[in-house]
Amino acid sequence: NSKFNFPTMPIDDFPVMDNKDLDNQIDLDIKSLKHLINNCKFCMGLDESRQYLNGIFFHKTNIKGKTFLTGVSTDSHRLSSSSLEIEESVQFEPIILPKKTIFQLLSLLEDVENEVKISSDKSKIKFEMQNAVLVSKVIDGKFPDYSKVVPFENEKKLEINLNDFKSSIERVVSVSMDRKEGLKMAISKDSIRMSVSSPSSGEGIEI
């Protein structure tokens, strides 16, 4: 014995995004795409005044005669780059994919396998996968020339066992849970001295 009346809106007012003319198309392995995104997402910016940093910059690159789809993100303090190899003939306009779209795409990719079809132009991008289609606008802005801040000719290189390095870092930073207190590294010819000092919880040093 209930009755409800709801106001509605005209169908024509629904913002359907026109995506018929997305000429640039590429098919990517879902596992490889997720790997690329996960390697970049943690460096996306948070500054609302610099929207062009609040996403991942996707573009084609050429390295040693091979063609790659490269993703780059930076919050101006750190930078991450990851690439996956594609066919040289693939046409792909450089775009900056917004942070919200990045996380929604990762959520959709969790439930599908095989490949995702990507269509794009300068202003929007479409992802087609099993049982889902995601269309998004891209960030209108120019991503900075990140190649200028990446050292390519640095002759000072250090190689260290990954597990030893990781374990040492985990032990030293356990002294403090405050993210503002950084890990200091003093690198010499024979060793690395890592230290964390916290006014509230003490000091940790490991060589």
Side-chain angles (χ1 to χ4, degrees), residues 51-56 95-99 122-123 137-142:
Q51 285 287 336
Y52 54 87
L53 297 183
N54 297 344
I56 297 178
I95 62 164
I96 306 174
L97 197 59
K99 181 186 304 180
K122 292 183 179 180
S123 61
K137 292 183 178 179
V138 301
I139 294 177
D140 183 16
K142 182 176 177 58

Side-chain angles (χ1 to χ4, degrees), residues 21-99:
D21 299 324
L22 302 180
D23 297 328
N24 299 323
Q25 297 185 353
I26 180 174
D27 293 326
L28 295 178
D29 174 69
I30 287 179
K31 184 178 180 180
S32 299
L33 178 60
K34 287 196 294 185
H35 181 74
L36 187 156
I37 294 174
N38 285 325
N39 282 345
C40 296
K41 68 180 184 181
F42 64 93
C43 279
M44 292 187 292
L46 299 171
D47 189 350
E48 293 301 322
S49 65
R50 293 189 291 180
Q51 285 287 336
Y52 54 87
L53 297 183
N54 297 344
I56 297 178
F57 176 49
F58 289 94
H59 60 299
K60 283 177 62 177
T61 55
N62 290 283
I63 304 172
K64 296 182 179 179
K66 296 182 178 180
T67 303
F68 296 87
L69 176 65
T70 298
V72 180
S73 63
T74 180
D75 57 6
S76 75
H77 297 287
R78 53 188 181 168
L79 182 146
S80 179
S81 173
S82 185
S83 301
L84 61 91
E85 189 172 355
I86 59 175
E87 296 291 334
E88 185 179 358
S89 59
V90 169
Q91 297 296 318
F92 190 88
E93 290 282 348
I95 62 164
I96 306 174
L97 197 59
K99 181 186 304 180

Side-chain angles (χ1 to χ4, degrees), residues 145-160:
D145 184 1
Y146 64 93
S147 62
K148 293 182 178 180
V149 300
V150 178
F152 290 102
E153 298 179 357
N154 187 0
E155 296 180 354
K156 298 178 180 179
K157 298 180 180 180
L158 172 70
E159 292 186 6
I160 190 170

